[in-house]
Amino acid sequence: MKVAFVGKGGSGKTTLAALLARHLTEQGRPVLAIDADINQHLAAALGGPVGTAETTSPLGERLPLIKEYLRGRNPRIGSAAEMVKTTPPGTGSRLLRVVENNPVYASCVRTVNGVRLAVTGEFTAEDLGVACYHSKVGAVELLLNHMLDGPGEYVVVDMTAGADSFASGLFTRFDRTFLVCEPTVRSIGVYRQYAGYARDYGVALSVVGNKVEDATDVEFLREHVGQDLLTWVSRSTYVRRAERGTVGPLDELEAANRAVLGQLTDAVDRTAQDWEAFTRWAHEFHRRNAAAWANERAGADLTTQIDPDFRMGAQTFNLPTAVTA
């Protein structure tokens, strides 16, 4: 199950993504956490030592490796150089499982406080003024396009703040999206923007209130987000200590807030994976990106990469399949 955490900058999405990833890992469930935020703080939120993100090989710097591996024996892709962030899998492509041995994970995934983590990488001096962050997040989109995950296994992604993920089709790659929302006008504004965009694409969206102090905060959230409000997290001394660098065992998290992690897990587990929609939107956004910029850059019609006979999840439907190892 692919899970995204989104929200206003500073709303607490990184903290909640880390808590859920740790909660799932402690339960013995297969988990891959990905830091796709421009501010690379997920490793620290997981309890890793200072500098963990910097010592992890970033996905954004391993794009040639990622493309070459995922391309596999797909005859529609002549070379790894022809792959772009939206290139969908087809017959002969390599698919990823949440937990497996492959060159991409060997290079880019590290275990941080028990949680397997990949990071997109920070802006470098060479990036400033000449590159946008989507060039790095594109690696995440490629991975998710090729991720064959199932119920009971989880990819937890800490996304960029606000509605920035709508700059690509990345927002359609998730089975469940948690929007972390403070009881403030600014945070509600981000919710309205995100929910407005997501509605037309069938995004399964749940709001998680954060930094809630009393019943008036809950009522404020209910008034503005309605039935999208799934649950909420109260002000937490555990989280305050973690933000100061002391990430304790999850047993020290307040009981009510620990219960929220169970609610998030239940919400994900109740979500049906819609592989048909996943494939349909992958093809649609690949066509859009090909027309907008990718065809010109590649000097070829990249829409021919779309395999009309291939569907993610085809192992269930006995359709032509990709290579999984």
Side-chain angles (χ1 to χ4, degrees), residues 7 10 52 57-58 61 86 102 109 118 148 150 152 175 187 218 242 246 248 254 317:
T52 299
S57 185
E61 293 181 8
T86 55
N102 64 57
V109 175
L148 186 64
D175 299 299
S187 207
V218 176
T246 302
E254 298 86 0
F317 303 103

Side-chain angles (χ1 to χ4, degrees), residues 16-204:
L16 286 176
L19 288 172
L20 180 62
R22 292 177 62 201
H23 172 75
L24 293 169
T25 299
E26 285 196 3
Q27 291 186 334
R29 305 192 187 202
V31 178
L32 174 63
I34 301 178
D35 192 343
D37 193 356
I38 191 171
N39 299 306
Q40 300 273 275
H41 297 320
L42 186 56
L46 288 169
V50 176
T52 299
E54 290 82 353
T55 59
T56 301
S57 185
L59 295 168
E61 293 181 8
R62 294 293 186 174
L63 263 176
L65 166 67
I66 293 170
K67 290 179 178 181
E68 188 61 53
Y69 180 75
L70 296 179
R71 181 170 73 99
R73 299 190 298 271
N74 186 337
R76 293 176 174 271
I77 304 173
S79 69
E82 294 179 6
M83 293 184 73
V84 294
K85 64 182 181 179
T86 55
T87 295
T91 303
S93 296
R94 285 192 177 96
L95 302 183
L96 301 170
R97 300 308 302 255
V98 174
V99 178
E100 66 175 11
N101 295 320
N102 64 57
V104 176
Y105 290 174
S107 177
C108 300
V109 175
R110 297 292 179 267
T111 299
V112 178
N113 200 14
V115 178
R116 298 167 57 251
L117 171 69
V119 303
T120 55
E122 298 179 332
F123 265 167
T124 65
E126 291 76 15
D127 294 325
L128 297 177
V130 297
C132 72
Y133 197 63
H134 302 118
S135 62
K136 298 181 182 295
V137 177
V140 178
E141 190 163 357
L142 263 178
L143 290 183
L144 295 183
N145 273 348
H146 292 75
M147 184 69 67
L148 186 64
D149 55 303
E153 50 187 15
Y154 309 84
V155 182
V156 178
V157 183
D158 180 23
M159 290 290 292
T160 53
D164 196 52
S165 63
F166 287 97
S168 73
L170 185 56
F171 71 98
T172 66
R173 302 299 81 197
F174 301 101
D175 299 299
R176 173 65 54 179
T177 296
F178 292 121
L179 190 147
V180 182
C181 190
E182 301 164 274
T184 66
V185 171
R186 288 181 59 195
S187 207
I188 291 297
V190 171
Y191 157 75
R192 287 175 175 161
Q193 183 183 27
Y194 203 103
Y197 289 145
R199 193 170 293 115
D200 293 337
Y201 294 90
V203 173

Side-chain angles (χ1 to χ4, degrees), residues 236-258:
S236 169
T237 56
Y238 176 92
V239 170
R240 288 184 63 193
R241 290 197 305 270
E243 290 175 344
R244 293 171 180 170
T246 302
V247 179
L250 275 182
D251 289 344
E252 296 178 359
L253 181 64
E254 298 86 0
N257 290 333
R258 183 69 188 266

Side-chain angles (χ1 to χ4, degrees), residues 282-296:
H283 292 178
E284 172 63 21
F285 279 99
H286 187 58
R287 292 188 189 94
R288 293 185 190 182
N289 278 266
W293 61 272
N295 284 349
E296 182 177 0

